[in-house]
Amino acid sequence: SLQFEKNLQDDYVKFLAIAEDCITKTEVGILGFITNNGYLETPTLRGLRWNLLQTFRHLLLIDLHGSTKRPIQGDENVFDIQQGVAIGLLARTPETDRMRVERADLVGDRAAKYATLGRMAFSQLNLATLMPRPELFVFLPLDDDLQAEYAGYLPLVQIMPHYSSGTETGFDDLLVAFSRKELRERLESFLRPTLTLDQAREEFGVNKVNSLRLFELRNRFRRDFGINGKSYETVGMYRPFDNRIYYYRHDYFKTNSFNVMRHLIDKPNLAIVAFRQQSQDGFHHAFITQYLGDKNAVSLRTREVNYYFPLYLYPNANSFEATAKCAPNVADFFTKLLRENWRDESDQRPAQISARDVFLFAYGVLHSPSYRLRYGSFLRMDFPRIPLTNTVALFQNLAQLGGALVELHLLESPQLEKPITTYTGPVKPEVEKVSYSGNTVWLDKKQTRGFTGVPEAVWNFQIGGYQVCDKWLKDRKGRTLSKDDVTHYQKIVVALNETIRLMGEIDKVIDSHGGWPGAFVTQPKT
């Protein structure tokens, strides 16, 4: 992947490789490095960790934290940089020595970290013994039993093997708009003959280098927009509950995601949005869409790339299979394993398990609060894993609750027609300053217009890296909300309120069947 190549090209990774090669040739030695701390757990560097474990017998690691991308309250970096820092002391000794991997963590202000490192030897630190395990070999203190339990579940990428990261236009201020009319006006402005580079940078929010690239594309834009520009307009999920209009010529975009996104363009479909890694604590990182989606639709952080797992795969329009029906993007082996591990009486089992049922079941599992809490350490490091149920009843209950969540998150549930909030203010309010107090979301500094009746839990509710009720409005700062916008926001509040309730119901259902891990199969049959 592009992220894998990017990590391998990092200079500190190259220096580790050079130093390791030198020590391997001498067959004994000690390597001490102060580096980026990403290699301690980044999934795409699991091969690097595996290699270090083959080369060295003793690995002593200090994570100094300090990352601005994964902030910890009260923590500071030891240098004036954004990336977290680690110290590694790696020793190659005779094979007869006992293998040992130890780790210490220093969190706090810079002065305290300097003081600790200045007065204490490595051996005096609070070292935790690690047992890095396949497949990721992370250098983290993890519960071995819990890790083995979670490893017994099946990776989402195996259950739904066709997936990719979301779209990345590189020019959102030009190619993504709130309406078709607004999009066409932008493109017409971009194609006007008198437009200069400086004007392009200001109007479309791009830097000098990107504005040059944008100008190189103008002739292609002019040809496409003039002949069949409307055919490239499509709906896409830009942020949670925030679909916008994309000018989607995939060969203009930075990410190579078309092979997946084409299944979500003007076709009836669904896709789970999931993550390979997160840069923050707490798992909130699952959502749904029926359209193509942005690389940062559910989280903007650099590490939290959004991946899309479509339910159905459609034939290529240019292939001889163009008239064939769509195929499910759910592996047959998973449904087979489900049936083999159910302990219900045989006459209670459905004749077949549909791909949609598996899809909804997975979505239900990903919204279990106890699942998110129990496996949070593992969910932040790799794509989620989905368990097999012991009974068909639990599978069906979770699929039903997952289906209810899907309806809410697509804003298609009948419950959304019963708002729990009241809007107070002018017919077309401008979003000036978003704030929350007294169960009211305010739209102006003087707090004279807003939505009353918004529960605090709903206001604080996160999907991925976004606090939804705040984010949706802040993205419209300076804009005027239409009547439909006001109604849409009220539906979001209902959807989140019902999501919180259904997440509680999911845990109740799991508890009634034995809880975690008893209700599930942790070692699937092969």
Side-chain angles (χ1 to χ4, degrees):
S1 69
L2 293 176
Q3 185 62 40
F4 176 69
E5 293 176 6
K6 179 181 177 182
N7 285 333
L8 285 182
Q9 292 300 319
D10 204 316
D11 285 344
Y12 86 93
V13 174
K14 296 177 183 178
F15 278 111
L16 275 174
I18 293 170
E20 182 186 12
D21 182 61
C22 292
I23 289 178
T24 300
K25 290 176 180 177
T26 63
E27 297 185 355
V28 64
I30 296 175
L31 168 62
F33 259 149
I34 300 174
T35 68
N36 180 322
N37 69 352
Y39 77 97
L40 300 179
E41 61 179 279
T42 299
T44 49
L45 291 178
R46 61 186 180 276
L48 180 152
R49 290 188 293 274
W50 176 86
N51 205 65
L52 293 178
L53 291 169
Q54 308 311 304
T55 302
F56 299 99
R57 301 301 292 170
H58 299 167
L59 292 85
L60 302 181
L61 311 163
I62 303 180
D63 190 347
L64 299 176
H65 296 276
S67 171
T68 60
K69 298 174 182 178
R70 180 175 279 177
I72 300 173
Q73 187 172 6
D75 188 48
E76 291 181 343
N77 200 305
V78 293
F79 304 123
D80 294 327
I81 58 176
Q82 294 183 343
Q83 178 61 51
V85 178
I87 300 174
L89 189 63
L90 315 176
R92 182 176 176 86
T93 60
E95 289 292 321
T96 54
D97 285 4
R98 180 176 63 88
M99 179 71 180
R100 189 169 78 246
V101 182
E102 295 177 296
R103 168 184 169 130
D105 290 78
L106 292 185
V107 178
D109 61 45
R110 180 184 293 186
K113 291 178 182 180
Y114 283 170
T116 299
L117 293 171
R119 73 173 184 272
M120 298 179 74
F122 220 133
S123 59
Q124 294 176 299
L125 295 171
N126 185 21
L127 293 169
T129 300
L130 308 182
M131 296 185 65
R133 295 181 179 273
E135 302 166 347
L136 294 179
F137 300 100
V138 291
F139 296 151
L140 290 174
L142 300 173
D143 184 309
D144 288 342
D145 292 337
L146 197 62
Q147 188 174 6
E149 175 184 305
Y150 183 69
Y153 303 152
L154 296 163
L156 183 62
V157 294
Q158 292 182 17
I159 299 169
M160 304 184 69
H162 200 71
Y163 65 95
S164 82
S165 59
T167 63
E168 183 180 9
T169 73
F171 308 111
D172 285 7
D173 286 350
L174 173 64
L175 300 177
V176 185
F178 287 97
S179 68
R180 294 180 188 275
K181 180 176 181 291
E182 183 178 301
L183 178 63
R184 291 168 192 168
E185 288 175 349
R186 287 184 187 177
L187 288 169
E188 288 170 357
S189 178
F190 172 64
L191 295 174
R192 70 184 190 270
T194 57
L195 182 71
T196 65
L197 276 173
D198 289 340
Q199 289 171 331
R201 287 198 291 272
E202 183 176 348
E203 287 186 35
F204 307 115
V206 294
N207 58 33
K208 186 174 183 179
V209 173
N210 284 338
S211 63
L212 287 170
R213 176 173 170 262
L214 194 58
F215 261 61
E216 291 174 0
L217 293 172
R218 283 183 85 200
N219 288 335
R220 295 173 65 186
F221 269 107
R222 185 174 286 108
R223 181 185 66 246
D224 295 339
F225 186 67
I227 299 172
N228 52 7
K230 292 183 181 180
S231 66
Y232 296 116
E233 295 175 6
T234 189
V235 179
M237 182 178 71
Y238 192 70
R239 298 293 182 263
F241 301 103
D242 191 354
N243 296 325
R244 302 191 191 178
I245 305 300
Y246 279 72
Y247 188 84
Y248 189 73
R249 266 298 297 259
H250 67 89
D251 51 342
Y252 291 173
F253 284 25
K254 295 174 69 176
T255 51
N256 185 23
S257 59
F258 179 68
N259 285 336
V260 167
M261 290 300 145
R262 71 179 184 83
H263 302 294
L264 296 163
I265 300 173
D266 301 326
K267 300 178 180 73
N269 211 343
L270 296 172
I272 288 176
V273 186
F275 294 72
R276 186 171 191 175
Q277 58 182 321
Q278 16 172 141
S279 60
Q280 59 187 33
D281 294 329
F283 180 83
H284 321 282
H285 296 65
F287 200 55
I288 196 84
T289 183
Q290 55 191 329
Y291 306 115
L292 66 83
D294 194 83
K295 178 184 175 184
N296 299 123
V298 184
S299 192
L300 188 59
R301 297 173 187 267
T302 305
R303 289 164 59 95
E304 296 179 348
V305 177
N306 300 201
Y307 288 85
Y308 291 74
F309 295 77
L311 173 55
Y312 300 116
L313 305 176
Y314 285 84
N316 190 324
N318 298 320
S319 75
F320 68 93
E321 299 177 335
T323 58
K325 294 181 180 179
C326 61
N329 182 32
V330 173
D332 291 338
F333 83 89
F334 184 76
T335 55
K336 181 181 179 182
L337 284 173
L338 270 172
R339 296 180 66 85
E340 288 178 351
N341 285 280
W342 284 340
R343 298 172 185 171
D344 309 61
E345 294 298 325
S346 58
D347 60 356
Q348 292 179 317
R349 301 184 183 189
Q352 62 181 29
I353 306 168
S354 72
R356 185 182 178 89
D357 286 340
V358 172
F359 183 93
L360 298 179
F361 163 74
Y363 200 63
V365 169
L366 292 173
H367 281 83
S368 161
S370 55
Y371 168 87
R372 294 179 170 193
L373 182 62
R374 184 178 185 85
Y375 305 118
S377 296
F378 313 111
L379 287 165
R380 83 178 193 181
M381 294 185 297
D382 203 359
F383 289 114
R385 290 174 173 260
I386 306 297
L388 301 165
T389 63
N390 278 331
T391 66
V392 62
L394 178 56
F395 173 80
Q396 290 175 331
N397 288 340
L398 290 178
Q400 182 179 12
L401 289 167
L405 285 170
V406 167
E407 282 192 338
L408 287 169
H409 296 167
L410 296 178
L411 297 184
E412 293 178 349
S413 172
Q415 292 175 285
L416 303 176
E417 302 304 321
K418 301 175 182 178
I420 62 173
T421 59
T422 302
Y423 167 71
T424 302
V427 176
K428 294 183 178 181
E430 179 184 340
V431 181
E432 180 188 19
K433 178 180 174 59
V434 181
S435 61
Y436 178 81
S437 64
N439 280 7
T440 301
V441 178
W442 301 104
L443 304 177
D444 62 327
K445 295 178 181 179
K446 295 182 179 180
Q447 298 187 345
T448 62
R449 54 183 182 265
F451 299 87
T452 60
V454 179
E456 186 173 0
V458 171
W459 167 252
N460 290 324
F461 193 83
Q462 283 186 247
I463 295 176
Y466 299 127
Q467 185 181 335
V468 180
C469 285
D470 185 49
K471 177 65 176 173
W472 193 91
L473 288 171
K474 281 187 174 176
D475 278 357
R476 288 156 176 77
K477 185 176 180 181
R479 300 179 70 92
T480 298
L481 300 184
S482 67
K483 182 179 179 181
D484 287 344
D485 289 333
V486 170
T487 301
H488 184 90
Y489 190 79
Q490 290 179 309
K491 288 182 177 181
I492 292 174
V493 173
V494 176
L496 296 182
N497 195 57
E498 282 298 300
T499 295
I500 294 169
R501 183 186 68 80
L502 286 176
M503 289 174 68
E505 289 296 317
I506 288 172
D507 268 4
K508 288 179 183 178
V509 167
I510 292 172
D511 288 343
S512 71
H513 285 80
W516 295 94
F520 300 94
V521 180
T522 57
Q523 294 295 329
K525 297 178 182 178
T526 58

